[in-house]
PDB file of all heavy atoms in Angstrom:
ATOM      1  N   GLN Q1137       4.171  32.287  -0.876  1.00 94.00           N
ATOM      2  CA  GLN Q1137       3.417  30.954  -0.786  1.00 94.00           C
ATOM      3  C   GLN Q1137       2.974  30.671   0.637  1.00 94.00           C
ATOM      4  O   GLN Q1137       3.117  29.587   1.088  1.00 94.00           O
ATOM      5  CB  GLN Q1137       4.241  29.828  -1.307  1.00 94.00           C
ATOM      6  CG  GLN Q1137       4.738  29.944  -2.715  1.00 94.00           C
ATOM      7  CD  GLN Q1137       5.777  28.887  -3.100  1.00 94.00           C
ATOM      8  OE1 GLN Q1137       5.735  27.792  -2.542  1.00 94.00           O
ATOM      9  NE2 GLN Q1137       6.694  29.236  -3.954  1.00 94.00           N
ATOM     10  N   LEU Q1138       2.446  31.737   1.307  1.00 96.00           N
ATOM     11  CA  LEU Q1138       1.925  31.505   2.647  1.00 96.00           C
ATOM     12  C   LEU Q1138       0.599  30.761   2.749  1.00 96.00           C
ATOM     13  O   LEU Q1138      -0.363  31.170   2.148  1.00 96.00           O
ATOM     14  CB  LEU Q1138       1.719  32.920   3.362  1.00 96.00           C
ATOM     15  CG  LEU Q1138       2.976  33.772   3.551  1.00 96.00           C
ATOM     16  CD1 LEU Q1138       2.633  35.114   4.023  1.00 96.00           C
ATOM     17  CD2 LEU Q1138       3.789  32.989   4.688  1.00 96.00           C
ATOM     18  N   THR Q1139       0.653  29.670   3.404  1.00 96.00           N
ATOM     19  CA  THR Q1139      -0.511  28.838   3.586  1.00 96.00           C
ATOM     20  C   THR Q1139      -0.622  28.399   5.061  1.00 96.00           C
ATOM     21  O   THR Q1139       0.305  28.486   5.827  1.00 96.00           O
ATOM     22  CB  THR Q1139      -0.490  27.545   2.723  1.00 96.00           C
ATOM     23  OG1 THR Q1139       0.633  26.839   3.004  1.00 96.00           O
ATOM     24  CG2 THR Q1139      -0.466  27.929   1.235  1.00 96.00           C
ATOM     25  N   PHE Q1140      -1.844  27.909   5.346  1.00 95.00           N
ATOM     26  CA  PHE Q1140      -2.114  27.431   6.778  1.00 95.00           C
ATOM     27  C   PHE Q1140      -3.141  26.419   6.786  1.00 95.00           C
ATOM     28  O   PHE Q1140      -3.834  26.093   5.787  1.00 95.00           O
ATOM     29  CB  PHE Q1140      -2.567  28.594   7.630  1.00 95.00           C
ATOM     30  CG  PHE Q1140      -3.989  29.040   7.380  1.00 95.00           C
ATOM     31  CD1 PHE Q1140      -5.009  28.492   8.167  1.00 95.00           C
ATOM     32  CD2 PHE Q1140      -4.297  29.783   6.279  1.00 95.00           C
ATOM     33  CE1 PHE Q1140      -6.307  28.968   7.981  1.00 95.00           C
ATOM     34  CE2 PHE Q1140      -5.549  30.198   6.089  1.00 95.00           C
ATOM     35  CZ  PHE Q1140      -6.600  29.724   6.869  1.00 95.00           C
ATOM     36  N   LYS Q1141      -3.253  25.742   7.899  1.00 94.00           N
ATOM     37  CA  LYS Q1141      -4.248  24.777   8.122  1.00 94.00           C
ATOM     38  C   LYS Q1141      -4.729  24.895   9.639  1.00 94.00           C
ATOM     39  O   LYS Q1141      -3.882  25.318  10.473  1.00 94.00           O
ATOM     40  CB  LYS Q1141      -3.850  23.313   8.013  1.00 94.00           C
ATOM     41  CG  LYS Q1141      -3.522  22.854   6.641  1.00 94.00           C
ATOM     42  CD  LYS Q1141      -3.308  21.313   6.579  1.00 94.00           C
ATOM     43  CE  LYS Q1141      -2.152  20.811   7.384  1.00 94.00           C
ATOM     44  NZ  LYS Q1141      -0.825  21.144   6.937  1.00 94.00           N
ATOM     45  N   HIS Q1142      -5.947  24.575   9.929  1.00 94.00           N
ATOM     46  CA  HIS Q1142      -6.394  24.624  11.306  1.00 94.00           C
ATOM     47  C   HIS Q1142      -6.735  23.172  11.672  1.00 94.00           C
ATOM     48  O   HIS Q1142      -7.579  22.518  11.046  1.00 94.00           O
ATOM     49  CB  HIS Q1142      -7.714  25.479  11.244  1.00 94.00           C
ATOM     50  CG  HIS Q1142      -8.513  25.513  12.468  1.00 94.00           C
ATOM     51  ND1 HIS Q1142      -8.063  24.917  13.609  1.00 94.00           N
ATOM     52  CD2 HIS Q1142      -9.705  26.105  12.814  1.00 94.00           C
ATOM     53  CE1 HIS Q1142      -9.002  25.100  14.559  1.00 94.00           C
ATOM     54  NE2 HIS Q1142     -10.023  25.801  14.038  1.00 94.00           N
ATOM     55  N   ILE Q1143      -6.010  22.638  12.671  1.00 95.00           N
ATOM     56  CA  ILE Q1143      -6.125  21.236  13.022  1.00 95.00           C
ATOM     57  C   ILE Q1143      -6.417  20.989  14.540  1.00 95.00           C
ATOM     58  O   ILE Q1143      -6.192  21.891  15.384  1.00 95.00           O
ATOM     59  CB  ILE Q1143      -4.862  20.474  12.630  1.00 95.00           C
ATOM     60  CG1 ILE Q1143      -3.636  21.028  13.331  1.00 95.00           C
ATOM     61  CG2 ILE Q1143      -4.654  20.558  11.067  1.00 95.00           C
ATOM     62  CD1 ILE Q1143      -2.327  20.184  13.173  1.00 95.00           C
ATOM     63  N   LEU Q1144      -6.832  19.810  14.768  1.00 95.00           N
ATOM     64  CA  LEU Q1144      -6.993  19.429  16.215  1.00 95.00           C
ATOM     65  C   LEU Q1144      -6.146  18.252  16.457  1.00 95.00           C
ATOM     66  O   LEU Q1144      -6.058  17.277  15.710  1.00 95.00           O
ATOM     67  CB  LEU Q1144      -8.470  18.993  16.487  1.00 95.00           C
ATOM     68  CG  LEU Q1144      -9.541  20.104  16.411  1.00 95.00           C
ATOM     69  CD1 LEU Q1144     -10.945  19.547  16.593  1.00 95.00           C
ATOM     70  CD2 LEU Q1144      -9.264  21.188  17.399  1.00 95.00           C
ATOM     71  N   LEU Q1145      -5.430  18.294  17.635  1.00 96.00           N
ATOM     72  CA  LEU Q1145      -4.540  17.149  18.049  1.00 96.00           C
ATOM     73  C   LEU Q1145      -4.951  16.543  19.385  1.00 96.00           C
ATOM     74  O   LEU Q1145      -5.382  17.291  20.244  1.00 96.00           O
ATOM     75  CB  LEU Q1145      -3.087  17.708  18.098  1.00 96.00           C
ATOM     76  CG  LEU Q1145      -2.496  18.240  16.799  1.00 96.00           C
ATOM     77  CD1 LEU Q1145      -1.041  18.810  17.069  1.00 96.00           C
ATOM     78  CD2 LEU Q1145      -2.496  17.238  15.701  1.00 96.00           C
ATOM     79  N   PRO Q1146      -4.857  15.225  19.465  1.00 96.00           N
ATOM     80  CA  PRO Q1146      -5.429  14.536  20.661  1.00 96.00           C
ATOM     81  C   PRO Q1146      -4.463  14.337  21.761  1.00 96.00           C
ATOM     82  O   PRO Q1146      -3.355  13.751  21.641  1.00 96.00           O
ATOM     83  CB  PRO Q1146      -5.804  13.204  20.112  1.00 96.00           C
ATOM     84  CG  PRO Q1146      -4.778  12.930  19.014  1.00 96.00           C
ATOM     85  CD  PRO Q1146      -4.335  14.206  18.498  1.00 96.00           C
ATOM     86  N   VAL Q1147      -4.840  14.735  23.009  1.00 95.00           N
ATOM     87  CA  VAL Q1147      -4.041  14.462  24.248  1.00 95.00           C
ATOM     88  C   VAL Q1147      -4.937  14.014  25.337  1.00 95.00           C
ATOM     89  O   VAL Q1147      -6.191  14.326  25.328  1.00 95.00           O
ATOM     90  CB  VAL Q1147      -3.293  15.681  24.693  1.00 95.00           C
ATOM     91  CG1 VAL Q1147      -2.297  16.255  23.675  1.00 95.00           C
ATOM     92  CG2 VAL Q1147      -4.204  16.881  25.146  1.00 95.00           C
ATOM     93  N   TYR Q1148      -4.334  13.333  26.322  1.00 93.00           N
ATOM     94  CA  TYR Q1148      -5.002  13.073  27.527  1.00 93.00           C
ATOM     95  C   TYR Q1148      -4.396  14.014  28.637  1.00 93.00           C
ATOM     96  O   TYR Q1148      -3.205  14.204  28.661  1.00 93.00           O
ATOM     97  CB  TYR Q1148      -4.823  11.634  28.006  1.00 93.00           C
ATOM     98  CG  TYR Q1148      -5.550  10.632  27.169  1.00 93.00           C
ATOM     99  CD1 TYR Q1148      -4.912   9.947  26.181  1.00 93.00           C
ATOM    100  CD2 TYR Q1148      -6.961  10.468  27.318  1.00 93.00           C
ATOM    101  CE1 TYR Q1148      -5.608   8.970  25.382  1.00 93.00           C
ATOM    102  CE2 TYR Q1148      -7.672   9.476  26.591  1.00 93.00           C
ATOM    103  CZ  TYR Q1148      -6.957   8.785  25.629  1.00 93.00           C
ATOM    104  OH  TYR Q1148      -7.615   7.949  24.822  1.00 93.00           O
ATOM    105  N   ILE Q1149      -5.285  14.545  29.390  1.00 90.00           N
ATOM    106  CA  ILE Q1149      -4.807  15.481  30.459  1.00 90.00           C
ATOM    107  C   ILE Q1149      -5.236  14.921  31.821  1.00 90.00           C
ATOM    108  O   ILE Q1149      -6.417  14.513  31.897  1.00 90.00           O
ATOM    109  CB  ILE Q1149      -5.360  16.903  30.301  1.00 90.00           C
ATOM    110  CG1 ILE Q1149      -4.930  17.431  29.001  1.00 90.00           C
ATOM    111  CG2 ILE Q1149      -4.903  17.841  31.468  1.00 90.00           C
ATOM    112  CD1 ILE Q1149      -5.496  18.810  28.670  1.00 90.00           C
ATOM    113  N   SER Q1150      -4.391  14.908  32.812  1.00 86.00           N
ATOM    114  CA  SER Q1150      -4.760  14.446  34.084  1.00 86.00           C
ATOM    115  C   SER Q1150      -3.819  14.921  35.115  1.00 86.00           C
ATOM    116  O   SER Q1150      -2.886  15.616  34.815  1.00 86.00           O
ATOM    117  CB  SER Q1150      -4.864  12.890  34.167  1.00 86.00           C
ATOM    118  OG  SER Q1150      -5.347  12.515  35.422  1.00 86.00           O
ATOM    119  N   SER Q1151      -4.084  14.621  36.378  1.00 81.00           N
ATOM    120  CA  SER Q1151      -3.201  14.974  37.479  1.00 81.00           C
ATOM    121  C   SER Q1151      -3.295  13.972  38.518  1.00 81.00           C
ATOM    122  O   SER Q1151      -4.158  13.141  38.563  1.00 81.00           O
ATOM    123  CB  SER Q1151      -3.555  16.394  37.968  1.00 81.00           C
ATOM    124  OG  SER Q1151      -4.850  16.339  38.509  1.00 81.00           O
ATOM    125  N   PHE Q1152      -2.267  13.970  39.436  1.00 79.00           N
ATOM    126  CA  PHE Q1152      -2.344  13.126  40.592  1.00 79.00           C
ATOM    127  C   PHE Q1152      -1.864  13.892  41.826  1.00 79.00           C
ATOM    128  O   PHE Q1152      -1.154  14.910  41.592  1.00 79.00           O
ATOM    129  CB  PHE Q1152      -1.541  11.783  40.449  1.00 79.00           C
ATOM    130  CG  PHE Q1152      -0.162  12.032  40.137  1.00 79.00           C
ATOM    131  CD1 PHE Q1152       0.838  12.187  41.057  1.00 79.00           C
ATOM    132  CD2 PHE Q1152       0.365  12.012  38.830  1.00 79.00           C
ATOM    133  CE1 PHE Q1152       2.169  12.354  40.848  1.00 79.00           C
ATOM    134  CE2 PHE Q1152       1.664  12.244  38.440  1.00 79.00           C
ATOM    135  CZ  PHE Q1152       2.523  12.412  39.545  1.00 79.00           C
ATOM    136  N   GLN Q1153      -2.262  13.465  42.938  1.00 78.00           N
ATOM    137  CA  GLN Q1153      -1.875  14.177  44.155  1.00 78.00           C
ATOM    138  C   GLN Q1153      -0.755  13.447  44.843  1.00 78.00           C
ATOM    139  O   GLN Q1153      -0.719  12.204  44.859  1.00 78.00           O
ATOM    140  CB  GLN Q1153      -3.027  14.173  45.194  1.00 78.00           C
ATOM    141  CG  GLN Q1153      -4.252  14.977  44.728  1.00 78.00           C
ATOM    142  CD  GLN Q1153      -4.181  16.441  45.165  1.00 78.00           C
ATOM    143  OE1 GLN Q1153      -3.475  16.727  45.991  1.00 78.00           O
ATOM    144  NE2 GLN Q1153      -5.000  17.217  44.417  1.00 78.00           N
ATOM    145  N   TYR Q1154       0.252  14.146  45.291  1.00 80.00           N
ATOM    146  CA  TYR Q1154       1.330  13.512  46.100  1.00 80.00           C
ATOM    147  C   TYR Q1154       1.719  14.484  47.180  1.00 80.00           C
ATOM    148  O   TYR Q1154       2.061  15.621  46.960  1.00 80.00           O
ATOM    149  CB  TYR Q1154       2.495  13.154  45.255  1.00 80.00           C
ATOM    150  CG  TYR Q1154       3.593  12.465  45.976  1.00 80.00           C
ATOM    151  CD1 TYR Q1154       3.434  11.162  46.434  1.00 80.00           C
ATOM    152  CD2 TYR Q1154       4.811  13.144  46.295  1.00 80.00           C
ATOM    153  CE1 TYR Q1154       4.355  10.486  47.183  1.00 80.00           C
ATOM    154  CE2 TYR Q1154       5.737  12.457  47.099  1.00 80.00           C
ATOM    155  CZ  TYR Q1154       5.563  11.195  47.490  1.00 80.00           C
ATOM    156  OH  TYR Q1154       6.486  10.523  48.200  1.00 80.00           O
ATOM    157  N   LYS Q1155       1.592  14.009  48.468  1.00 80.00           N
ATOM    158  CA  LYS Q1155       1.920  14.852  49.641  1.00 80.00           C
ATOM    159  C   LYS Q1155       1.153  16.186  49.529  1.00 80.00           C
ATOM    160  O   LYS Q1155       1.727  17.277  49.675  1.00 80.00           O
ATOM    161  CB  LYS Q1155       3.390  15.058  49.800  1.00 80.00           C
ATOM    162  CG  LYS Q1155       4.112  13.770  50.242  1.00 80.00           C
ATOM    163  CD  LYS Q1155       5.490  14.066  50.695  1.00 80.00           C
ATOM    164  CE  LYS Q1155       6.108  12.909  51.392  1.00 80.00           C
ATOM    165  NZ  LYS Q1155       7.562  13.070  51.584  1.00 80.00           N
ATOM    166  N   GLY Q1156      -0.151  16.073  49.188  1.00 81.00           N
ATOM    167  CA  GLY Q1156      -0.888  17.343  49.205  1.00 81.00           C
ATOM    168  C   GLY Q1156      -0.735  18.260  48.030  1.00 81.00           C
ATOM    169  O   GLY Q1156      -1.297  19.401  47.969  1.00 81.00           O
ATOM    170  N   LYS Q1157       0.212  17.904  47.134  1.00 82.00           N
ATOM    171  CA  LYS Q1157       0.459  18.724  45.985  1.00 82.00           C
ATOM    172  C   LYS Q1157      -0.150  18.104  44.723  1.00 82.00           C
ATOM    173  O   LYS Q1157      -0.076  16.899  44.577  1.00 82.00           O
ATOM    174  CB  LYS Q1157       1.915  19.043  45.806  1.00 82.00           C
ATOM    175  CG  LYS Q1157       2.307  20.484  46.181  1.00 82.00           C
ATOM    176  CD  LYS Q1157       3.762  20.669  45.991  1.00 82.00           C
ATOM    177  CE  LYS Q1157       4.087  21.174  44.591  1.00 82.00           C
ATOM    178  NZ  LYS Q1157       5.556  21.427  44.446  1.00 82.00           N
ATOM    179  N   LYS Q1158      -0.562  18.944  43.718  1.00 82.00           N
ATOM    180  CA  LYS Q1158      -1.193  18.464  42.475  1.00 82.00           C
ATOM    181  C   LYS Q1158      -0.090  18.488  41.415  1.00 82.00           C
ATOM    182  O   LYS Q1158       0.544  19.484  41.157  1.00 82.00           O
ATOM    183  CB  LYS Q1158      -2.327  19.299  42.052  1.00 82.00           C
ATOM    184  CG  LYS Q1158      -3.146  18.782  40.976  1.00 82.00           C
ATOM    185  CD  LYS Q1158      -4.367  19.610  40.711  1.00 82.00           C
ATOM    186  CE  LYS Q1158      -4.336  20.052  39.245  1.00 82.00           C
ATOM    187  NZ  LYS Q1158      -5.480  20.865  38.916  1.00 82.00           N
TER     188      LYS Q1158
END
Side-chain angles (χ1 to χ4, degrees):
Q1137 302 168 30
L1138 289 171
T1139 58
F1140 75 98
K1141 291 190 299 288
H1142 171 6
I1143 61 171
L1144 293 178
L1145 300 179
V1147 299
Y1148 289 100
I1149 300 175
S1150 182
S1151 60
F1152 57 86
Q1153 294 273 339
Y1154 182 72
K1155 288 195 170 165
K1157 253 181 90 179
K1158 190 175 123 182

